[in-house]
Structure formats: structure tokens, C-alpha cells
Amino acid sequence: MNRRRCATAAITVVCALTVLASPVQAAYAAPTPPPPPASASGLPASGKSLEEVRREIDALYRQAASATDAYNLADERAKKQSAEIVKLARSIVAGQARIADLKNRAGAAARAQYRNGGIPDEAKLVLTDDPQAFLSGVGRLQQGQKATKDLLAELKQRQAELEAYTKDASAHWTQLEANRVQQARTKKQIEAKIAAAKRLESQLEAEERERLLQLERDEQDKAQTAWLGSGVLKEIGGSASPQGKKAIEFATAQLGKPYVWGAEGPGSYDCSGLTSQAWAAAGTGIPRTSQEQWRLLPRVDVKDMRPGDLIIYHADASHVGLYIGDGAIIHAPRPGRNVTVAGAGSMAILGVVRPDK
């Protein structure tokens, strides 16, 4: 039984150290194939209009963003599981050491009784003719019985704790493996979506890519104009909190850095990597992903938002930006784009959350 417990604990410790030693897979972009010649009609080689191509590319990047959130969440959970396994492994080692000490003490007591001829202390006490020795022995006997009882009780408790630690470590390991599998699956989805979007863009000539970028800007400007036209800024007049100001200062310093999915800085960011690090710099830890930020952070009405708040976008909460005031956000848009300032209403707003509420 002891060998089985020790083996289980040893395996748990080895697993924990293996988890700590294993590097996180770095994100990478699939190589872009050379562009095929444009069609004689001037349309992209696919035969679709440039606007259709833009919408298709946008949809692919949106799907990649949603998968990136799933990847980041699995990664965050895997890190927590790894830390918990290491903590449990240390508890198992400490528990084994304590059990070994208790067993040594119990063995010492048994050996002492053996040296006394195997006669129990109670029998020796009854056989004594010395009243003073009898009274003194009664006190020692009571203390000894209590110490033995306490030792056995602690031994039983420590063994139960050790079994619980081992069971918990096994459960955490199972969850860790599930998160790793989820990461690998979503990593493939992300790379496939980004590669598909890049293939579409690669079919365009330089002039068409410029027009595509302008179409993207026009779409965002149209959405922003409609949002401002609703009169929303007339109701928004809050000032940033001290922490909100620090978050904005951090985000502003990241302007121009590239979007890389799964990145949390310092050289590149994805959308929620930027907002989570901005608020970490302000002294407030928030969830890593935009979906968890929407699910767990306090929500405020759009009319009540103030600089420093986070605006969550799209029905699936797959994008987030940091509101900086005057109807603008700082965000990391998508692969191929850099951290930039954009209109807060340039995308479909799901809602607003406030990390320091």
C-alpha cells in the first residue's frame, strides 16, 4: 500500500515538473503562396467582387478571433492546472514525510515496550508496592495514552489527506490534458482560418489590396458615423479613474505594435492580450480573454461608460477594445494589422465592462 502511494506521488511530482518544463507553443503565420495573375476583367482571380472578397476575409478573421479566444482560455486554464498540480505534489511530499515521522515514533514506542519485556505499563503499575510510584505512574500513563491516541489520530488524518491530494492531483492532470488537447485543436483552426484569409488576399494585386483596405476603412467609418449620429456621445461624459488613466497610458504606448494571436506583449498583442495587460499595468488583474472579460467583469451601460472601460464587440464577445474617450478606442484589430486607434462604434458593440467598478 505504501509503495503504491509513494509511486503515485512520485509520478505526480514528475508530471508536475514535466508541465513546468514544457514550452508553450509559439504562434506562427503560415507561409503566403505567390499571388496568381488577376483576371482580364480586372476582378480578383476568384471572379468575386472586391467587396465580396472583403466580406469573406473579414468573416475568416472573425472566426479566427473567436478560436483565438478559445485557445487563450484553454492556455490560461492549463497554466492554472499546472500550478495546482505542483502545489499538490509538494503537499504529497510533505504528507509522506510527516507519515514517515509518525510511523517512526510509533515504532519507537513499540520497541521501548519490547525492551521492557513486553509487559504493558498498566500491568507494571498494578504490580508495584510503592504508593508514590503508583500515583506518579498513573499520571505518566494517562499522558502516554493520550500521546499514543493523538499520534494514531494524526497518522490516520495524514493518510486520508495524502489519498485526497493524490486523487486531486490525478483529476487536475486529466483536466490539464483536456485543455492541452483543446489548445492543439483550436490552434489548427486559427491557423487554417488565417491561412485561408491570406490566400484570398494573395490573389489580389497591389492596387486591389489598397482598394480592399479602403473598403475596410469605409465600412468602419460608416459604422462609426452611424454610432455618433445616434447622439450617444451627448450622454457619455465620465472621467477616467486613476487606474483607468494608467491603463490608457499603457495601451497608448503599444500603438503600432503588430497583432499576433495569443500574444500578451511586450512586442505584440491580440485584442484581449492588450486590454488584460493594460489593466495589469494599472494594478488590476482581469480575465485573459474577451469572452471571460464580458462574462466576469462588472457591466455598465454604454451611456455611462468612461475612459478606461472595455468595449466588447460582436455577438460572441470575440473582440475587445479599450475606450479612451471622444468616441475612440485603442485595440489590436486582427492579423496583418497593428495596435491602433479606431472609432468605438466602428464594430457591433455587445456591451461595456468596467474592471475597477
Side-chain angles (χ1 to χ4, degrees):
M1 183 67 176
N2 290 335
R3 290 180 179 177
R4 189 157 55 246
R5 287 201 187 100
C6 290
T8 303
I11 291 171
T12 304
V13 173
V14 171
C15 291
L17 295 176
T18 302
V19 169
L20 289 181
S22 59
V24 178
Q25 291 179 314
Y28 68 93
T32 303
S39 64
S41 64
L43 293 173
S46 63
K48 299 176 182 177
S49 71
L50 204 56
E51 177 60 20
E52 288 174 326
V53 172
R54 185 196 67 79
R55 290 177 182 174
E56 190 171 349
I57 290 173
D58 183 62
L60 287 167
Y61 280 126
R62 284 275 311 280
Q63 292 165 16
S66 185
T68 297
D69 235 30
Y71 176 91
N72 289 337
L73 183 58
D75 181 60
E76 186 176 31
R77 286 175 176 170
K79 289 176 182 176
K80 289 180 180 178
Q81 295 298 337
S82 298
E84 191 62 29
I85 288 172
V86 172
K87 180 180 176 182
L88 287 167
R90 288 171 179 164
S91 298
I92 288 171
V93 172
Q96 287 178 324
R98 181 57 179 162
I99 287 173
D101 177 61
L102 291 170
K103 286 183 176 179
N104 285 337
R105 288 168 57 188
R111 289 191 295 273
Q113 182 174 328
Y114 176 78
R115 284 194 298 271
N116 290 335
I119 301 175
D121 289 340
E122 295 90 335
K124 290 182 179 180
L125 193 60
V126 171
L127 294 174
T128 184
D129 293 329
D130 186 346
Q132 184 62 38
F134 178 84
L135 293 174
S136 176
V138 168
R140 288 198 303 273
L141 180 60
Q142 289 175 338
Q143 292 175 354
Q145 287 175 335
K146 182 178 185 303
T148 301
K149 183 178 180 181
D150 291 347
L151 186 150
L152 293 175
E154 184 179 355
L155 180 60
K156 183 178 180 180
Q157 178 185 348
R158 293 288 181 173
Q159 287 174 329
E161 288 176 351
L162 186 59
E163 290 178 1
Y165 288 147
T166 303
K167 184 177 180 181
D168 287 347
S170 177
H172 280 293
W173 184 261
T174 300
Q175 293 172 2
L176 175 64
E177 285 303 298
N179 285 325
R180 293 295 192 197
V181 170
Q182 175 67 16
Q183 275 184 274
R185 184 184 301 118
T186 53
K187 183 176 186 289
K188 290 181 180 179
Q189 293 174 355
I190 294 165
E191 290 173 342
K193 298 297 181 183
I194 293 176
K198 288 185 174 182
R199 279 195 299 272
L200 282 173
E201 287 189 87
S202 71
Q203 296 174 11
L204 304 175
E205 293 185 345
E207 183 180 343
E208 290 173 327
R209 284 196 289 272
E210 282 297 321
R211 287 173 54 207
L212 185 71
L213 181 58
Q214 188 58 50
L215 285 173
E216 182 182 308
R217 290 169 179 161
D218 291 346
E219 182 69 18
Q220 293 172 353
D221 290 345
K222 181 180 177 182
Q224 175 73 353
T225 300
W227 186 67
L228 294 176
S230 69
V232 65
L233 283 188
K234 295 178 181 178
E235 299 184 57
I236 299 174
S239 299
S241 66
Q243 282 186 304
K245 289 179 180 178
K246 291 180 181 179
I248 292 172
E249 289 173 3
F250 178 91
T252 301
Q254 313 314 310
L255 289 171
K257 293 183 178 181
Y259 177 107
V260 173
W261 66 268
E264 300 178 77
S268 58
Y269 298 88
D270 63 18
C271 66
S272 57
L274 176 64
T275 55
S276 60
Q277 289 302 305
W279 271 97
T284 298
I286 64 173
R288 167 65 178 88
T289 72
S290 59
Q291 291 174 348
E292 290 294 281
Q293 289 169 8
W294 172 244
R295 187 172 72 87
L296 298 175
L297 294 178
R299 299 178 185 181
V300 296
D301 290 337
V302 172
K303 64 182 180 60
D304 297 324
M305 72 177 176
R306 67 190 186 194
D309 289 345
L310 305 181
I311 303 181
I312 310 297
Y313 293 96
H314 310 306
D316 60 355
S318 58
H319 193 71
V320 60
L322 181 72
Y323 185 61
I324 59 175
D326 295 326
I329 60 168
I330 291 178
H331 74 141
R334 66 165 176 82
R337 300 287 185 265
N338 298 328
V339 176
T340 188
V341 175
S346 60
M347 296 166 283
I349 295 176
L350 177 61
V352 180
V353 295
R354 179 167 297 163
D356 59 343
K357 183 176 180 180

